[in-house]
Amino acid sequence: MKVLAFASRNRKELLRDPLNLAFGIGFPVVLLLLLSAIQSNVPVSLFKIRSLAPGIAVFGLSFISLFSGMLIAKDRSTSFLIRLFASPLSASNFILGYTLPLLPMAIVQSIICFIVSYFLGLSVNVNLLLALIILIPAAILFIAIGLLAGSLLTDKQVGGVCGALLTNLVAWLSGTWFDLNLVGGAFKTAANALPFVHAVDAARAAVAGDYALILPHLLWVIAYAVVILSLAIYVFNEKMRSDAK
Amino acid sequence: MSAIQTRDLTKKYKEKIAVDQLNLSIEQGELFSLLGVNGAGKTTTIKMLSCLSKPTSGDAVLLGDSVATSPMEVKKKINVSPQETAVAPNLTVKENLETIAGLYGSNRKEAVKKTKEMIESFGLSEVEKSKAKTLSGGWQRRLSIAMALISNPQILFLDEPTLGLDVLARRDLWRTIEQLKGKVTIILTTHYLEEAEALSDRIAIMAKGRLKAVGTVKELMSHTHTDKFEDAFIALASGNGASL
């Protein structure tokens, strides 16, 4: 009950911020429409919906880091944190309370992305359901990045790091906008060392029905998610307790 | 049984001693004020008593449970109304209250019932559907105290509850606090001497982390041979008066 009460409060805080809705849902949808419009007017295959939709779904998830980071950083900047710490909430209650409302938001965000993609020509089949499941580790990864950023930074800094830096990193290094082989070299090596391109490739493989290709990419994402989430939980506990002192 | 009993309660930050071997006994139902100039150790004391900060040494026992060894048990019996705004800004007054009731273990039905009671007793009905961020400072403080009381705490910590409020809002809040006297043990910190004088059963004066005096307003004035409480406070807080 305690966790649910806290999660419910966090869900309301997140959903009542119009910027969250605009960036979390509106922006990825606008990009889908825009890039599909470009595709329909050029003779080469730049943004085929089967490749674009999973990429935009991952890009949209990067905004989840911004939401979670901002919420935690704002709580840290007010006396509301003291009230929370004085309550009988345990450390695991806090982590769950911040994480639980974001996971359904991330899934809904991906569903909306695929629904819009359907109207742009994406085939609807069981593979889309698989893609939604494949995107869950990526969603947890982005929630963890937000948890980490919110624990360490102020809300303004979170806006810069998660709202600008992370979203750009995901945009450029995920292979959503262009084939990484076109650039190659250190750029491709760096992109492959990060989880974003693997999240996109795993979701693309799921949409395409290339099941054998999913796991190798998904393992990258899961490994990153486990490491970042563990780090985020540790930093969150340490930082928030020191903030209350 | 005392509501609060501290034994050599001490907090050190590296070389700085914020609270030095504090020994206090506060009775159940008492309204007890902690006074002192900035840096006296009031807030650190409150943070240790409310399990927000661990003592470096010593202990405090709140209604039979130690802050050092049983902080979760202590937290179930207390609540805090922190300095500054401590409300969830995008939630309504009603939702803020229901959230805190839930955090202290109430199920949905209980939370709704307790919220209704708090809205009535704190006169919050006209703003119950307003988001907390839209309320004036006075309303936010009133909500903050209602949020601290919705868990039915046996001990309530009020940290500078009237800071920044205008005189009307302050007097209004005084009336609310007076109504709680005898029902809940209240630990109040304030910079307003007239507030402590008007509300407190007993007052402790701290300076440089040490307890300088404890007593009623009359006892403190008598001890320092002063006619005004402000003079008694200055004598004790500045170290000119002998410890009581």
Side-chain angles (χ1 to χ4, degrees):
Chain A
M1 193 62 215
K2 285 187 281 187
V3 176
L4 290 180
F6 185 48
S8 169
R9 172 263 167 179
N10 293 334
R11 178 177 51 79
K12 286 171 187 163
E13 288 279 1
L14 287 164
L15 291 177
R16 287 176 188 178
D17 187 338
L19 278 178
N20 286 349
L21 295 177
F23 277 96
I25 293 168
F27 193 49
V29 167
V30 167
L31 280 176
L32 262 177
L33 296 171
L34 189 67
L35 295 174
S36 295
I38 291 171
Q39 176 62 69
S40 64
N41 288 297
V42 293
V44 290
S45 285
L46 274 176
F47 305 115
K48 281 201 293 191
I49 195 67
R50 251 174 55 167
S51 293
L52 184 63
I56 294 288
V58 171
F59 177 68
L61 289 178
S62 67
F63 288 99
I64 294 286
S65 297
L66 177 67
F67 306 159
S68 62
M70 288 292 270
L71 179 65
I72 295 162
K74 278 182 184 170
D75 277 352
R76 282 180 49 227
S77 71
T78 69
S79 293
F80 193 71
L81 176 74
I82 292 176
R83 191 184 285 289
L84 294 176
F85 266 119
S87 75
L89 278 179
S90 65
S92 57
N93 290 159
F94 271 105
I95 302 291
L96 276 172
Y98 278 123
T99 308
L100 281 179
L102 288 159
L103 204 51
M105 276 177 68
I107 293 169
V108 168
Q109 193 188 42
S110 299
I111 290 172
I112 290 172
C113 180
F114 285 136
I115 289 172
V116 174
S117 300
Y118 162 73
F119 289 106
L120 296 170
L122 186 69
S123 313
V124 173
N125 54 40
V126 73
N127 288 336
L128 281 190
L129 191 62
L130 179 65
L132 285 173
I133 295 166
I134 297 299
L135 284 169
I136 289 175
I140 293 171
L141 169 67
F142 284 114
I143 291 169
I145 292 172
L147 197 62
L148 186 62
S151 303
L152 289 170
L153 308 171
T154 64
D155 53 345
K156 281 184 184 169
Q157 289 168 331
V158 169
V161 170
C162 292
L165 184 63
L166 180 68
T167 50
N168 270 291
L169 268 180
V170 176
W172 290 101
L173 297 172
S174 65
T176 300
W177 319 112
F178 52 86
D179 188 344
L180 293 175
N181 290 317
L182 292 174
V183 184
F187 186 85
K188 188 185 168 191
T189 307
N192 279 323
L194 292 168
F196 314 123
V197 68
H198 297 290
V200 172
D201 284 347
R204 278 177 177 164
V207 169
D210 293 334
Y211 305 126
L213 278 178
I214 294 173
L215 195 60
H217 289 298
L218 194 59
L219 285 175
W220 272 91
V221 183
I222 291 171
Y224 262 99
V226 168
V227 170
I228 303 278
L229 186 62
S230 304
L231 182 66
I233 289 170
Y234 174 76
V235 172
F236 174 86
N237 284 330
E238 290 297 309
K239 192 73 176 76
M240 289 187 86
R241 295 210 177 278
S242 68
D243 282 351
K245 284 177 187 173
Chain B
M1 182 168 57
S2 298
I4 298 173
Q5 184 84 49
T6 71
R7 298 188 205 108
D8 296 329
L9 191 68
T10 301
K11 183 71 183 183
K12 289 181 187 172
Y13 294 107
K14 293 181 181 170
E15 295 307 307
K16 189 181 182 306
I17 301 176
V19 175
D20 191 7
Q21 296 186 316
L22 183 70
N23 287 291
L24 268 180
S25 180
I26 300 168
E27 296 307 311
Q28 291 185 43
E30 196 171 11
L31 198 156
F32 190 91
S33 291
L34 277 177
L35 298 186
V37 293
N38 290 336
K42 310 181 296 290
T43 299
T44 306
T45 301
I46 293 265
K47 284 186 172 178
M48 284 192 285
L49 294 177
S50 53
C51 306
L52 289 165
S53 178
K54 283 186 180 173
T56 308
S57 62
D59 197 1
V61 175
L62 279 71
L63 297 163
D65 287 305
S66 152
V67 296
T69 58
S70 311
M72 272 298 171
E73 290 307 308
V74 172
K75 285 180 176 187
K76 289 175 189 168
K77 299 173 184 175
I78 66 167
N79 210 322
V80 179
S81 178
Q83 242 181 59
E84 304 163 18
T85 308
V87 294
N90 283 320
L91 267 60
T92 66
V93 166
K94 187 168 171 279
E95 288 167 341
N96 263 288
L97 289 164
E98 285 172 356
T99 298
I100 300 299
L103 293 185
Y104 282 80
S106 293
N107 61 33
R108 177 85 190 127
K109 197 177 167 186
E110 288 167 356
V112 169
K113 184 172 173 274
K114 285 180 179 176
T115 295
K116 198 177 169 192
E117 287 166 8
M118 296 312 293
I119 284 173
E120 278 173 18
S121 60
F122 277 80
L124 290 163
S125 44
E126 66 179 276
V127 292
E128 70 173 299
K129 288 176 185 163
S130 305
K131 283 186 182 170
K133 66 182 177 186
T134 65
L135 302 178
S136 68
W139 279 112
Q140 285 195 356
R141 288 298 166 89
R142 206 190 288 194
L143 171 61
S144 189
I145 294 177
M147 286 163 76
L149 279 165
I150 198 163
S151 61
N152 294 325
Q154 291 165 271
I155 300 172
L156 174 65
F157 295 95
L158 297 176
D159 196 4
E160 305 275 1
T162 61
L163 189 70
L165 296 187
D166 63 47
V167 67
L168 293 177
R170 183 178 300 165
R171 288 298 167 102
D172 197 30
L173 210 50
W174 283 14
R175 278 191 291 277
T176 305
I177 294 169
E178 275 172 338
Q179 285 167 9
L180 300 171
K181 281 179 78 169
K183 298 173 192 164
V184 185
T185 306
I186 299 174
I187 316 302
L188 173 82
T189 70
T190 180
H191 274 105
Y192 301 115
L193 297 181
E194 74 279 15
E195 185 166 288
E197 196 175 355
L199 296 173
S200 314
D201 295 314
R202 283 193 305 149
I203 293 170
I205 294 173
M206 294 180 72
K208 295 175 183 170
R210 300 193 77 116
L211 183 66
K212 301 297 288 184
V214 184
T216 62
V217 171
K218 276 186 183 174
E219 285 169 350
L220 295 173
M221 288 196 298
S222 162
H223 179 71
T224 50
H225 310 292
T226 50
D227 297 327
K228 287 182 189 169
F229 179 60
E230 187 175 333
D231 294 334
F233 172 78
I234 290 167
L236 290 161
S238 62
N240 295 333
S243 295
L244 178 60

